[in-house]
Amino acid sequence: MPDLEPPGPLPKRQFASDNYAGVCPAAWAAMERANAGHAVGYGDDAWTKRACDLIRNVFEIDCQVFFTFNGTAANALVLASLCRSYHSVICHRHAHVEVDECGAPEFFSNGTKVLVVEGEAGKVDCEAVTRCAKRRSDIHYPKPKVLSLTQATELGTVYDTSELDAVSETARRLGLRVHMDGARFANAVASLGVSPKEVTWKAGVDVLCFGGTKNGMAVGDAVVFFDNDLAAEFDYRCKQAGQLASKMRFLAAPWVGMLEDDVWLNNARHANAMAELLEAELRKLPDDVGVEVTTPRQANAVFARIPSVIDSAMRGERGWCYYDFYGPAGARLMCAWDTTERDVTDFVRDLRQVAGVAGS
Ligand SMILES: *Cc1c(COP(=O)(O)O)cnc(C)c1O
């Protein structure tokens, strides 16, 4: 018998990323059901058909759906398919496609350049987009072709319907296609309480990379083309990039488990609610502790500046993990589908203790 014990003590739940969480029961159960017997490979199976149909139901439109192993591939291949090598993609300075994909969009597009703009709280500023697109119109400048938005943003904020209408109107005026990086699309929809179509194709989004992993699946993001013409030959692009799953049913089945009975939205609502609780608890800390929430919390992330002495004790002796890669935004505390109220209160209790708050 192989040793199936985990290597070392079970780590506690952390606030580092929603991808620290495991697979949610609905996704797991669907994988298990998909494991019964044989099925055709490469996506010609009933699970894949069902998952695509459910995604079409979610968006209430006849869209084209593809599955990739992760979000980086989804984003990079979509941008490559929307652009020629001499084009450019405009996105926010903190966008995942710019800072967290190791140049995959540029690589898969054979040179399409990513151009960055500023904007409050992780959202692109329409005037900055216009300036960037119009900076030059000569042959020496990489021709702007796509505006890429992240929903929910890298700073945990959410574009509401009217903000999306405004940015996509800006894009349309500039002749840009709109790509949405929806690694946390579920959290955005849960936060806004709108139907998914209101914040996608009705708001001018041409292609959505619909994240499944951070919402409770093991692996697999969906690419959703709302303009069917743009999806032409995307299947070849996936195959060439090593993103066509041979046993596709195992990428598709979790989507069936997540989309039936709105598990995807319930997972996201839960993660958002835990972040809301965490934010409320941090705001209750006495002012002299010096913890400051820096960005409006709208989805499942809380950003807070934590004084360095407290920060080192939290990460060191108390064993908490979290990131702080967005500089002035401070520590990023990310909640997941399985974060519990207890996790939140444990974290805040440790924080109060290391800060020496009386009575903690
Ligand atoms: C996690 C994430 C992705 C996808 O990342 P992978 O690790 O490639 O799955 C894309 N965009 C954003 C904003 C993310 O947070």
Side-chain angles (χ1 to χ4, degrees), residues 70-72 75 96 101 150 154 181 183-184 214 221:
N70 62 30
T72 298
N75 284 336
H96 200 270
E101 299 189 352
T150 310
E154 286 77 3
D181 173 351
R184 298 189 182 88
K214 287 170 180 151
D221 287 8

Side-chain angles (χ1 to χ4, degrees), residues 34-111:
N35 199 32
H38 282 204
V40 187
Y42 301 110
D44 278 329
D45 65 282
W47 284 98
T48 306
K49 184 175 181 312
R50 177 90 184 121
C52 293
D53 286 344
L54 286 168
I55 289 177
R56 286 188 268 270
N57 287 350
V58 163
F59 291 100
E60 303 175 65
I61 195 170
D62 184 25
C63 45
Q64 295 291 310
V65 181
F66 302 84
F67 298 98
T68 60
F69 289 101
N70 62 30
T72 298
N75 284 336
L77 295 177
V78 164
L79 294 174
S81 81
L82 295 177
C83 294
R84 300 215 176 187
S85 57
Y86 48 82
H87 285 146
S88 55
V89 173
I90 299 177
C91 66
H92 192 275
R93 182 162 68 87
H94 290 319
H96 200 270
V97 295
E98 161 69 3
V99 296
D100 277 311
E101 299 189 352
C102 196
E106 293 89 336
F107 175 76
F108 282 107
S109 60
N110 293 312

Side-chain angles (χ1 to χ4, degrees), residues 201-213:
W201 58 272
K202 278 193 145 185
V205 173
D206 295 301
V207 194
L208 169 71
C209 294
F210 188 1
T213 311

Side-chain angles (χ1 to χ4, degrees), residues 231-357:
E233 298 186 352
F234 192 74
D235 46 351
Y236 287 87
R237 206 173 274 283
C238 289
K239 174 67 189 182
Q240 186 185 49
Q243 289 290 323
L244 176 65
S246 164
K247 293 188 180 177
M248 181 68 91
R249 70 187 190 278
F250 296 108
L251 286 196
W255 280 100
V256 175
M258 300 284 280
L259 295 173
E260 281 176 347
D261 305 325
D262 283 347
V263 174
W264 69 291
L265 279 177
N266 291 331
N267 281 358
R269 282 188 196 111
H270 174 82
N272 292 359
M274 290 301 102
E276 188 176 4
L277 175 66
L278 177 58
E279 179 195 24
E281 292 295 318
L282 293 179
R283 287 191 189 279
K284 275 192 224 157
L285 292 168
D287 284 349
D288 60 357
V289 171
V291 169
E292 186 199 342
V293 174
T294 56
T295 333
R297 185 221 55 89
Q298 295 177 321
N300 57 327
V302 178
F303 282 83
R305 260 194 292 272
I306 302 177
S308 62
V309 176
I310 299 176
D311 182 67
S312 324
M314 286 296 279
R315 294 177 198 261
E317 65 187 71
R318 303 290 167 137
W320 291 101
C321 302
Y322 46 83
Y323 296 124
D324 56 4
F325 36 45
Y326 295 120
R332 186 190 77 168
L333 303 167
M334 189 65 82
C335 296
W337 67 269
D338 67 343
T339 303
T340 63
E341 286 186 22
R342 177 71 195 274
D343 298 329
V344 172
T345 51
D346 282 353
F347 181 88
V348 177
R349 183 210 56 223
D350 278 359
L351 209 157
R352 296 179 92 95
Q353 284 176 357
V354 302
V357 176

Side-chain angles (χ1 to χ4, degrees), residues 145-162:
K145 185 70 178 188
V146 175
L147 175 61
S148 176
L149 308 171
T150 310
Q151 174 81 315
T153 73
E154 286 77 3
L155 289 182
T157 54
V158 171
Y159 291 91
D160 66 25
T161 317
S162 63

